[in-house]
Amino acid sequence: MALSAEELQDIEQQAIELASKAGRILMDRFQRPMSVEYKDKEGWKDPVTEADKSSEAFLSEETARRFPDHGFVGEEGSGREAGSSGLMWVVDPLDGTTNFSNGLPSFCCSIALVEDGAPVVGAIFMPWPETKEGRIIHARKGGGAWEGETRLQVAPGDKPIAGRVVVRGGFLPGRFRPSKELSANGGQQRSVGSTASELAMVADGTYQYTLHGNPHSWDVAAGIIMVQEAGGTSYSHNGNGWYPLTTFKDPATEGVVTHEALRKWQNPVLSGNPGMVVFVSTGLLPLALSTRLIRGTKKALTRPKSRTRRT
């Protein structure tokens, strides 16, 4: 049974409270000595700190206490399947860990509730100059997107305006080429290094649009419902074309969306007002497979060979 308007409103208020408390955990540890571990094989691309782990532990434990029938998916590995409710919390406890670990105040905590694969509640904490509490942007299905008493709206216009900021992910050159019209009207590229923060700032009209290459569900779940409730839309790409992204559920899969399915989800996401998203998506021309293979071969041939260290 779908959540009622009253239930959504109550859960949204609790999500705001959770985001605020997780934000305090992060701010208490920000710009202090910390150890950094790396989850990737290269040893520098995917950092994790004690702040990530503490924030996720708090959110996992607190959602289990408040909502014992709800599941949980956290970036740092915490997880549990949902009970009969089928509801799942999808959380990035610290999005922008590289910035955080380098003392750069551009990061966030992203919290979303997913119902049958679709985000229905979202809350994002972001640090902000001259405020101890930071910003909390939040939304619920049918209730609008808000910051405090201010209702948010995505940036207007069916085409990007020169000089206004956008985000275009690094995957673009390897998979698409922009049309001449998109190249001439693409907007001013600026990234803050935190996908969830950037989506929140699509909802408040700061970014005209964002295009992220391969985010995970926890990077975008809260942002998707915020953009939607601020009058915008999100698209994803399945290899054959762009389509409206309203759910993480695979239409070919029956039954509830599992913890594992949400953990494995990873696809391009384009967000902005509907006209803007149509303009950008139609201006992204897929590279032919042969062209991509040739580019990949050239890159491999020109890559410097690794040298064996002698002891």
Side-chain angles (χ1 to χ4, degrees), residues 30-31 96-108 127 191-193:
F30 183 54
Q31 292 185 327
T97 303
T98 296
N99 291 344
F100 182 90
S101 63
N102 282 277
L104 184 64
S106 180
F107 55 85
C108 74
S191 175
V192 299

Side-chain angles (χ1 to χ4, degrees), residues 9-29:
Q9 186 173 16
D10 176 67
I11 292 172
E12 180 187 25
Q13 291 304 311
Q14 297 202 53
I16 294 168
E17 182 183 344
L18 291 171
S20 177
K21 291 182 176 180
R24 287 183 211 148
I25 290 172
L26 300 182
M27 296 308 293
D28 285 346
R29 291 158 175 78

Side-chain angles (χ1 to χ4, degrees), residues 73-134:
V73 180
E75 180 185 4
E76 303 311 327
S78 300
R80 60 180 181 273
E81 293 293 356
S84 59
S85 71
L87 297 165
M88 194 81 71
W89 290 92
V90 181
V91 166
D92 193 336
L94 172 50
D95 184 35
T97 303
T98 296
N99 291 344
F100 182 90
S101 63
N102 282 277
L104 184 64
S106 180
F107 55 85
C108 74
C109 174
S110 177
I111 302 170
L113 182 67
V114 170
E115 181 179 32
D116 194 28
V120 293
V121 171
I124 291 178
F125 163 87
M126 296 184 290
W128 208 251
E130 299 180 359
T131 67
K132 292 182 179 180
E133 298 79 14

